[in-house]
Amino acid sequence: MASAPRTIATDLLQQGHESCLPPCSLTKEDLTAYPGLANLLMGLTKRMDSTGLSVNLAQQLEEARKELQVRKASWLKWETLHRLLQEALREQGTGLPPEDRKFLEVLEQQLLVGELKRMLEVDPSLQSTQSSLLGLEPSHVLELLPPKQEVEQIQKRLPTELEKHLKSKCLALLSYYRPESDSANETVRVAMSGTLAERLAEEKQRLQEAKARQQELVGLLEQQKATYPQVLLRCVAMLKRLAREYRLGTQSELDRLNTHYLEIKCSAMFLKIRLEELSILLETYTPEKVDVHRMIRDDLQAKLSQEEQNLATSRKILSDYEMLGSAFEELVKEYAQLKGTIHNRQWMLKEFNKD
């Protein structure tokens, strides 16, 4: 009996129907290593959905989602109506007829009173702990409402104004979604705006399908990421085994042959370099040039020897002078002064002779 569920789970895994199982990353090796895991997964499929939630919790979540959608739709309807009225008030310009200006003033007054009434309304459960703003009550604000006759006039005219604003919004949306419609007349644009909702719904459905496909691909990517390290580890193990069995056994012999080959190649390279050097020297220096260079070298060596002897003599004389001490330095200074004086007088005599 235990093999049946395991076979079903294995077949689902092999056929690529992992969505029938709870969210997990499984391989055939996992099912083989842990036989009881398949039974547990097949038992969980009766109590869990594809997202991992229990059936009861998923039903409650779906009911809450539907209720939220209903409330969102209701809120969106009234929020749209309120924003249309606010935009109508903001877009009012100067030079309006008296009746239009009166309509907008009464409408603005009624909206402000409604907004204040909403701000002053307190949750019944918080009335005992929270006081109203500035001690005001909703009944105090209702006194600011326009007269009943003006309110009735607004109610009669309001649908027409809302229809006008909604029409302009639809045409603006049509211009954004289909810019080529701007060149058509108003009748055609109104007809085109009638199908705009269907087109937007189709595009929204296409986007939702694309998002669902993206989520599915993300799930597949996560599974691949979970499988990839395992495959890498198996590949590394196989490479280690191949290196240990087929590479390291002949590595020493291969290294020895490579070393011997490199030594021979290096010796041949050195011999080739030496041959090129000798060839260059032979082409550059002929026997006559070598004799001339030898003579020049002998002459330079002779001059170098003479200069070294002169240097030794100068050093000896200098050392003798240094032995005389400070008295010799004073004589040198006095000699320099006398020599300068003689030079100056010679120059003066030379200038006098010119005259």
Side-chain angles (χ1 to χ4, degrees), residues 7-63:
T7 304
I8 294 173
T10 306
D11 294 340
L12 290 175
L13 192 63
Q14 291 177 350
Q15 296 173 7
H17 300 292
E18 294 88 348
S19 59
C20 299
L21 298 174
C24 57
S25 300
L26 287 177
T27 60
K28 292 190 295 184
E29 290 78 4
D30 297 332
L31 296 177
T32 304
Y34 306 98
L37 181 59
N39 298 332
L40 176 61
L41 293 176
M42 294 305 298
L44 290 176
T45 53
K46 300 177 182 179
R47 294 177 173 82
M48 297 175 63
D49 62 354
S50 59
T51 62
L53 295 175
S54 64
V55 177
N56 295 333
L57 187 58
Q59 292 177 355
Q60 296 176 7
L61 183 61
E62 182 65 21
E63 294 176 358

Side-chain angles (χ1 to χ4, degrees), residues 97-310:
E99 55 182 7
D100 293 342
R101 187 164 59 252
K102 182 64 175 178
F103 170 76
L104 294 174
E105 290 175 358
V106 175
L107 179 60
E108 183 177 9
Q109 184 179 359
Q110 192 170 2
L111 288 176
L112 289 175
V113 171
E115 186 69 18
L116 290 174
K117 182 175 177 297
R118 185 186 63 80
M119 294 173 61
L120 293 175
E121 287 179 349
V122 183
D123 191 354
S125 61
L126 301 176
Q127 287 183 353
S128 59
T129 60
Q130 183 176 357
S131 60
S132 62
L133 181 63
L134 300 176
L136 296 175
E137 298 294 337
S139 59
H140 298 158
V141 180
L142 294 177
E143 298 176 357
L144 302 176
L145 283 173
K148 183 177 180 181
Q149 183 180 1
E150 296 178 354
V151 174
E152 290 177 354
Q153 293 178 357
I154 287 178
Q155 291 176 353
K156 291 179 182 179
R157 186 176 175 181
L158 190 58
T160 305
E161 296 295 331
L162 287 176
E163 183 179 358
K164 186 189 301 183
H165 281 282
L166 284 173
K167 181 180 178 181
S168 64
K169 291 293 181 183
C170 290
L171 294 178
L173 181 60
L174 180 65
S175 300
Y176 175 78
Y177 186 71
R178 299 183 63 182
E180 68 276 5
S181 64
D182 294 340
S183 59
N185 54 31
E186 186 175 358
T187 305
V188 177
R189 295 185 68 193
V190 171
M192 293 173 66
S193 64
T195 60
L196 185 60
E198 297 178 358
R199 291 180 176 273
L200 291 177
E202 292 176 358
E203 186 173 353
K204 182 179 179 181
Q205 180 66 24
R206 185 168 61 254
L207 289 176
Q208 289 178 352
E209 292 176 356
K211 288 182 179 179
R213 178 59 179 168
Q214 182 184 8
Q215 291 179 356
E216 182 180 356
L217 293 176
V218 169
L220 294 175
L221 180 61
E222 294 297 330
Q223 293 181 0
Q224 293 293 333
K225 287 182 179 179
T227 307
Y228 185 67
Q230 300 177 2
V231 175
L232 285 180
L233 290 176
R234 289 198 295 269
C235 292
V236 170
M238 293 178 63
L239 290 175
K240 288 181 178 180
R241 183 174 60 84
L242 292 174
R244 183 173 58 255
E245 294 180 359
Y246 299 100
R247 177 71 174 175
L248 297 179
T250 58
Q251 185 65 39
S252 59
E253 182 65 20
L254 182 62
D255 291 341
R256 187 184 65 81
L257 294 176
N258 287 333
T259 304
H260 184 62
Y261 165 74
L262 291 175
E263 289 178 354
I264 295 175
K265 187 175 181 180
C266 185
S267 300
M269 186 64 65
F270 284 145
L271 291 175
K272 187 175 181 180
I273 292 172
R274 181 58 179 168
L275 177 62
E276 292 294 332
E277 181 182 359
L278 294 176
S279 299
I280 293 172
L281 291 175
L282 182 62
E283 293 174 359
T284 304
Y285 300 104
T286 59
E288 293 80 6
K289 292 181 180 180
V290 173
D291 294 337
V292 172
H293 288 172
R294 186 178 294 109
M295 293 173 62
I296 293 173
R297 184 186 63 184
D298 294 340
D299 184 49
L300 291 175
Q301 287 181 349
K303 290 181 178 180
L304 179 61
S305 300
Q306 183 64 34
E307 292 296 330
E308 289 178 350
Q309 291 178 0
N310 294 335

